[in-house]
Amino acid sequence: MLTARTIDRIVTLALDEDAPWGDLTSETLIPADAVATADLVAREDGVFAGGEVFAAAFRLTDPAIEVGLHVADGGRFIAGRRLATVTGPAQGVLTAERIGLNFAQRMSGIATLTARYVDAIAGTGARIVDTRKTTPLLRAFERHAVAAGGGHNHRFSLSDAVMAKDNHLGVLTATGADLTDALREAIARLPHTAHVEVEVDRVDQIEAVVAAGIGTIMLDNFTVDQLREGVATVAGRAQIEASGGVSLDTVRQIAETGVDVISVGALTHSARALDLGLDLRIDLGR
């Protein structure tokens, strides 16, 4: 997902938003021949993500700027750790600073939160996945950060897989059709092989869905006891995803019910930006 083309396209848009007609402050106050060296430093413990995105902010501002990454995406660090070093024309370094930091802080925050969820369910056999609750246009960045934190990516877009939720099922069975038959007929119309997932919100819906040969069944907003009952009902005939009401306080209990996947929208919609800083030193003449 995180291709060079995607990075350059999104970072260019961000730079254009921040300095549409140039950086008036840096161009006014900073001598053109000034050189800056800056260290990206962690102010708190965390998991790094977005190194290539961070570097792109400086490279696209001024190709003369060099960025050395000292921690790879997915690397854990403690407060005070130097994560990257930036060297080059000071005007460009100062122009790109905020955009580079914004992306690194956002992505590292997501990676750090994801790692906490992954650590919380260690040894259970379940895996943590993200959702489509991402910032518009930043999905590739945020999904990459989830993977850096040890999580897994759900379908990337509506084009990747069939995922029928309650509203889809309501329309599908509006004429009173049997749910199992309706699902089978719908799946038979697929133009190509695709993974199919169906959401249920009651235990008594499970059998009709599993009987249709669904690949994954999502148990939405089930209690822990209901999840156990759902796992027993499915009995290995489909992959089981738990969704809704997941937090760091509840995720271990959910994982121990025997579900295969736990989807957590909070990984991307509620992650706090990690506290990273750019400590800068300027040489006023070469």
Side-chain angles (χ1 to χ4, degrees):
M1 288 183 292
L2 198 60
T3 64
R5 179 176 178 273
T6 297
I7 292 173
D8 285 2
R9 178 171 59 87
I10 298 300
V11 174
T12 296
L13 287 172
L15 290 168
D16 288 346
E17 177 185 59
D18 202 39
W21 303 286
D23 178 0
L24 186 60
T25 305
S26 295
E27 292 167 10
T28 299
L29 301 179
I30 307 301
D33 62 349
V35 175
T37 297
D39 293 322
L40 178 65
V41 178
R43 309 294 194 216
E44 60 180 312
D45 300 352
V47 178
F48 190 52
E52 293 302 320
V53 178
F54 175 79
F58 296 93
R59 170 175 52 80
L60 293 170
T61 298
D62 187 337
I65 299 175
E66 297 180 355
V67 178
L69 298 173
H70 307 309
V71 177
D73 281 15
R76 300 193 179 209
F77 55 82
I78 61 174
R81 176 72 187 274
R82 186 177 60 161
L83 306 174
T85 299
V86 180
T87 303
Q91 285 187 1
V93 171
L94 290 166
T95 297
E97 173 186 12
R98 185 71 268 158
I99 297 305
L101 276 174
N102 283 349
F103 281 128
Q105 290 178 303
R106 171 67 178 159
M107 294 177 70
S108 296
I110 291 172
T112 300
L113 180 59
T114 301
R116 289 175 183 155
Y117 275 90
V118 172
D119 290 347
I121 66 166
T124 64
R127 62 184 184 273
I128 299 294
V129 305
D130 50 25
T131 72
R132 285 170 45 245
K133 296 176 182 177
T134 54
T135 307
L137 302 181
L138 296 184
R139 182 168 295 171
F141 286 14
E142 294 179 349
R143 287 284 181 83
H144 174 84
V146 167
H152 297 263
N153 299 139
H154 212 294
R155 60 174 179 164
F156 186 75
S157 71
L158 293 174
S159 301
D160 297 339
V162 176
M163 186 172 176
K165 296 200 166 189
D166 51 356
N167 288 337
H168 297 100
L169 297 183
V171 174
L172 186 65
T173 59
T175 60
D178 176 79
L179 178 58
T180 302
D181 291 341
L183 284 171
R184 284 174 175 163
E185 291 173 7
I187 294 169
R189 293 193 295 271
L190 281 170
H192 54 79
T193 301
H195 188 79
V196 178
E197 178 170 354
V198 175
E199 172 190 282
V200 301
D201 53 21
R202 301 192 315 274
V203 172
D204 61 14
Q205 295 174 311
I206 293 175
E207 190 57 48
V209 171
V210 174
I214 299 303
T216 300
I217 183 165
M218 178 194 288
L219 308 183
D220 189 44
N221 285 306
F222 276 41
T223 66
V224 170
D225 287 340
Q226 289 170 334
L227 286 172
R228 291 194 187 97
E229 184 178 355
V231 169
T233 301
V234 174
R237 291 175 291 167
Q239 180 174 255
I240 301 173
E241 176 180 338
S243 181
V246 182
S247 70
L248 283 169
D249 292 332
T250 64
V251 70
R252 180 78 191 187
Q253 285 182 301
I254 292 170
E256 289 175 342
T257 65
V259 299
D260 303 292
V261 174
I262 304 172
S263 54
V264 186
L267 299 181
T268 52
H269 73 58
S270 296
R272 176 181 63 82
L274 210 65
D275 190 2
L276 309 177
L278 201 66
D279 297 339
L280 186 141
R281 306 179 298 279
I282 291 184
D283 179 356
L284 294 179
R286 292 181 184 276

